[in-house]
Amino acid sequence: MKNFSLRKQSSIPRETLFKISTDVSNFHVILPDYFKSLKIVKDDPFEKIVLENISFLGNNIRVKTKHVILSPDVHKIFILSGPLKGTIFNEKYALSKLGTDVTISVHLKLNGFLKFVPFVDVFLSKKMSKVMNEFLKSSDNYLKASLSD
């Protein structure tokens, strides 16, 4: 298993950013290039099981995920199926002077052909950093749009 962490800052207040980040049912609205469709099969306040059709390395794949939500600052995502089965994303949201510091610790487990692709972990780390930037920008736009309604 490979481990890496990403850290970003956002001007969005922690409570608001955390709410957007854990609103699983709207992932396809926030990041439509990556989340094609979602079906929540278990919806508890602190845990959600989701069937996700996502775009991954240029392919549409279906994965099952478990989202553990520990408000106000921890969101853990466990990949239960697919080429990254066993991977864990641990998101932490910390208050900062500018709004929120977001840290994602990734415990990456590669399965199938991905085990044999050189430097795939470095590529995925860079891709996740790009997706994080897009998520923060989309969250800001989503928030502005919801405030104007």
Side-chain angles (χ1 to χ4, degrees), residues 27-118:
F27 281 5
H28 66 286
V29 174
I30 304 280
L31 290 170
D33 290 344
Y34 302 100
F35 294 92
K36 301 305 180 183
S37 67
L38 303 156
K39 180 180 179 186
I40 299 173
V41 294
K42 179 182 178 187
D43 193 1
D44 292 337
F46 305 107
E47 182 179 295
K48 299 179 186 323
I49 304 292
V50 184
L51 298 174
E52 304 177 12
N53 286 317
I54 61 172
S55 178
F56 177 73
L57 301 176
N59 296 305
N60 286 338
I61 62 169
R62 186 177 181 127
V63 297
K64 187 176 190 180
T65 58
K66 177 170 80 169
H67 295 256
V68 177
I69 300 163
L70 306 170
S71 190
D73 60 352
V74 176
H75 179 202
K76 294 182 180 185
I77 301 124
F78 300 85
I79 308 296
L80 304 176
S81 68
L84 298 177
K85 180 180 178 179
T87 295
I88 301 168
F89 300 89
N90 189 10
E91 302 173 0
K92 294 191 178 187
Y93 297 78
L95 296 171
S96 75
K97 292 178 183 176
L98 299 176
T100 307
D101 288 336
V102 181
T103 303
I104 300 180
S105 299
V106 180
H107 304 285
L108 183 65
K109 183 167 185 200
L110 303 172
N111 297 291
F113 74 93
L114 289 178
K115 288 183 188 179
F116 307 106
V117 179

Side-chain angles (χ1 to χ4, degrees), residues 17 20-21 23-38 52-56 60 75 77 91 93 104 127-142:
L17 188 58
I20 293 170
S21 175
D23 183 8
V24 176
S25 62
N26 277 317
F27 281 5
H28 66 286
V29 174
I30 304 280
L31 290 170
D33 290 344
Y34 302 100
F35 294 92
K36 301 305 180 183
S37 67
L38 303 156
E52 304 177 12
N53 286 317
I54 61 172
S55 178
F56 177 73
N60 286 338
H75 179 202
I77 301 124
E91 302 173 0
Y93 297 78
I104 300 180
K127 183 70 172 169
M128 279 201 54
S129 183
K130 179 183 176 210
V131 172
M132 258 183 97
N133 288 335
E134 291 176 26
F135 168 75
L136 293 174
K137 183 178 179 182
S138 293
S139 294
D140 193 45
N141 293 338
Y142 179 77

